[in-house]
Amino acid sequence: MKQNITVVILAAGLGTRMKSTRAKVLHEAGGDTLLNQVIRAALHVSPPERIVAVVGHQADEVRRSVNAPGVRFADQPAQMGTGHAVLCARSQAAPENGLLLILNGDGPLLQPSTLAGLVELAGASHLGGALVTTEAADPSGYGRILRDSDGLVAAIVEQKSATPEQLRIREINPGVYCFEASLFWKHIAEIAPNNSANEYYLTDMVEILRRHGHAIAPMLVADETELLGINTRVELAAADRILRARKARRLMLSGVTIEYPETVTIDVDVEIGQDSIVESNVQLRGRTRIGANCRIGAGAILRDCIVADGAAILPYVVADSSSIGARALVGPFSRLRLNAEAGPDTHIGNFVELKKTRLGAGAKANHLAYLGDAVIGPQTNIGAGTITCNYDGRKKHPTKIGENTFVGSNSTLVAPLEIADGAYIAAGSVITQNVEADALAIGRARQVDKPGWARKRRSQP
Ligand code: UD1
Ligand code: CA
């Protein structure tokens, strides 16, 4: 980068039109908050130490929500307008040299390439700055761009102050500006709240700089969707859809097959390896990482999960904060949560729940089981209907099951409990004591047969 670029992101407003108790920039699109999405774009042109977010409404929550370490914050105690918001960032935005890039915190669709283009344009020595513009199909609500006879930006007029004739202008201000920093700070005090809203309008800076003889160039961007500003939940949903589509497209171009890409919900930080297949209606959330050659079945919902190469997640698996080993077969209808760990080559079948449980390599739990707070050794078979009774009503207790053990169907394993390597648990047992290696444990009532009983019963009146 030829010049220092300081980025100021305006994020202090409440966003009244969201009809929310939460600040607008805390709302999410594409799997991250609006503010974080803007910061992601800004990080392509500046390091985090040169990015300043101006916070006001719910400042503490907004600060905490920012997930890029090193980003700075400035407080705007009362929301007196976008010009005032930038002024509040002044001390954090020092030194006052190079370029000053100013972004609205509610524009999550901005592309890094657009920012790079704007910075390049604004850096030209004969200009005081440059700003992005676009032709909006429906310009209502946005500031309109007034051009001079040279095609430069003469002024931005806000919707509220525009004449009927100006309201017909379709070229709008999406809120993406880049100024020569020293000029901007030199003249910022000239912004005055002389408008019906009684606010300090950042947009007035265009006229001010021109008055001092500095030209402001427009950078007309053809795709107006990239510049959508979020004011309502309808726009939030529209932005989310676009961000999802972009993510799916990036993954497909990197070698992932996605069936019905318009139906999947994949968060921005999710990674998927080559030749993996994602079926319809899948949700991959948070920091989920899927290896190569995996299959993620229809309707599966994975949050913050790690899936190793070659694993198959069958339809309708729900998994949180868990890991699934290479070539494992999970689902349909399995539930993994709270750091469940399924080793390589494991099989986890329908209606099996794993909570804080480690299943060793090649172990199987194919049907109807609850395995909680357990460590299960490699190659062990957990029969249908097995339950670890990990909770005594007051505390949770662990269950340890060795390798190559066989737990018969419908076993009730009362924790704390250890079943050693190679042991056998007879079907239907209630196991309350530790079982030693290679033993058979049977914990159920002995069967009693009564010959002829049924016939006798039928012959009675
Ligand atoms: C602003 C622009 C308008 C542009 C539009 C694009 C001004 C005067 N107008 O209008 O020309 O078309 O954005 O979306 O700038 N904010 C603060 N502190 C404040 C006021 C706002 O931090 O005191 C932040 C908000 O949190 C938001 C951003 O600035 O992220 C834009 O504010 P908003 O009220 O949405 O501005 P618009 O009226 O949409
Ligand atoms: Ca806005």
Side-chain angles (χ1 to χ4, degrees):
M1 215 59 71
K2 288 175 297 265
Q3 304 206 50
N4 279 334
I5 300 164
T6 302
V7 186
V8 172
I9 302 175
L10 309 184
L14 170 64
T16 320
R17 286 165 282 175
M18 292 297 280
K19 303 277 164 66
S20 176
T21 57
R22 312 183 66 219
K24 176 162 72 177
V25 293
L26 290 172
H27 287 262
E28 291 189 7
D32 209 345
T33 65
L34 298 183
L35 178 54
N36 278 327
Q37 296 287 13
V38 177
I39 291 173
R40 279 170 195 274
L43 283 167
H44 285 265
V45 295
S46 257
E49 313 76 57
R50 301 220 57 162
I51 299 176
V52 187
V54 182
V55 297
H57 270 282
Q58 297 172 353
D60 290 343
E61 286 94 323
V62 174
R63 278 168 194 262
R64 267 185 269 118
S65 73
V66 168
N67 54 22
V71 167
R72 295 160 170 254
F73 296 94
D75 283 299
Q76 187 192 24
Q79 281 60 66
M80 294 157 68
T82 47
H84 178 255
V86 183
L87 183 61
C88 291
R90 187 166 190 170
S91 62
Q92 294 291 328
E96 299 182 355
N97 58 20
L99 294 173
L100 177 66
L101 184 62
I102 303 172
L103 309 173
N104 278 0
D106 60 358
L109 298 172
L110 195 61
Q111 298 273 26
S113 55
T114 302
L115 282 187
L118 181 69
V119 163
E120 171 101 33
L121 174 62
S125 56
H126 64 286
L127 293 175
L131 54 91
V132 170
T133 73
T134 190
E135 299 267 354
D138 174 12
S140 55
Y142 289 101
R144 309 298 204 280
I145 302 293
L146 308 188
R147 294 222 196 185
D148 66 14
S149 51
D150 297 326
L152 295 166
V153 185
I156 299 170
V157 24
E158 291 304 298
Q159 166 102 14
K160 284 181 202 147
S161 327
T163 64
E165 198 177 314
Q166 290 167 335
L167 286 176
R168 281 197 293 275
I169 297 173
R170 286 185 35 231
E171 186 177 22
I172 58 106
N173 165 36
V176 182
Y177 323 79
C178 189
F179 297 101
E180 189 72 53
S182 55
L183 283 179
F184 182 91
W185 294 118
K186 185 173 164 198
H187 296 294
I188 188 167
E190 295 168 40
I191 298 180
N194 52 7
N195 50 65
S196 60
N198 215 21
E199 285 188 1
Y200 294 84
Y201 283 167
L202 168 61
T203 44
D204 287 353
M205 207 58 191
V206 173
E207 268 182 290
I208 293 169
L209 289 179
R210 274 181 71 90
R211 212 182 303 136
H212 292 283
H214 307 290
I216 308 292
M219 187 177 103
L220 181 66
V221 169
D223 175 17
E224 66 159 304
T225 55
E226 182 194 333
L227 301 161
L228 181 69
I230 309 305
N231 295 310
T232 69
R233 302 207 196 213
V234 176
E235 288 156 347
L236 185 71
D240 184 66
R241 204 188 167 107
I242 293 166
L243 288 165
R244 302 292 179 194
R246 278 189 198 164
K247 177 70 182 181
R249 183 182 158 79
R250 278 200 299 275
L251 288 167
M252 290 187 284
L253 290 174
S254 76
V256 176
T257 293
I258 303 184
E259 299 175 351
Y260 299 97
E262 61 281 10
T263 69
V264 302
T265 305
I266 303 180
D267 286 356
V268 58
D269 288 322
V270 170
E271 294 169 21
I272 308 181
Q274 198 175 31
D275 287 321
S276 283
I277 298 172
V278 177
E279 297 179 6
S280 61
N281 292 298
V282 163
Q283 294 194 10
L284 301 174
R285 304 285 198 163
R287 304 252 160 203
T288 295
R289 273 188 284 135
I290 312 280
N293 296 300
C294 293
R295 178 176 278 272
I296 311 296
I301 304 177
L302 273 57
R303 181 180 292 276
D304 298 323
C305 286
I306 295 174
V307 178
D309 295 349
I313 310 295
L314 300 177
Y316 304 106
V317 168
V318 178
D320 293 279
S321 310
S322 294
S323 72
I324 292 164
R327 300 168 304 279
L329 191 62
V330 180
F333 301 105
S334 311
R335 171 92 170 106
L336 281 75
R337 60 193 181 95
L338 285 176
N339 297 314
E341 261 183 73
D345 302 297
T346 49
H347 290 185
I348 299 172
N350 37 215
F351 307 107
V352 173
E353 176 178 356
L354 260 66
K355 188 218 80 172
K356 272 193 196 160
T357 285
R358 202 156 81 221
L359 197 58
K364 296 188 170 97
N366 269 324
H367 340 260
L368 304 158
Y370 172 62
L371 304 169
D373 303 300
V375 177
I376 298 167
Q379 308 303 331
T380 282
N381 188 86
I382 304 290
T386 297
I387 306 285
T388 53
C389 307
N390 59 332
Y391 186 50
D392 62 11
R394 293 172 58 197
K395 284 170 79 179
K396 299 278 169 66
H397 300 283
T399 299
K400 191 164 181 286
I401 303 177
E403 58 182 72
N404 271 301
T405 61
F406 181 93
V407 176
S409 295
N410 213 29
S411 293
T412 301
L413 309 177
V414 181
L417 184 68
E418 279 192 48
I419 299 173
D421 295 348
Y424 246 74
I425 307 297
S429 291
V430 177
I431 301 295
T432 56
Q433 294 161 31
N434 292 349
V435 179
E436 61 185 53
D438 300 315
L440 168 69
I442 309 177
R444 53 165 134 93
R446 184 176 287 277
Q447 181 171 327
V448 178
D449 288 0
K450 299 190 174 179
W453 184 94
R455 196 182 336 104
K456 218 158 51 191
R457 169 75 214 250
R458 279 193 298 273
S459 65
Q460 278 167 4

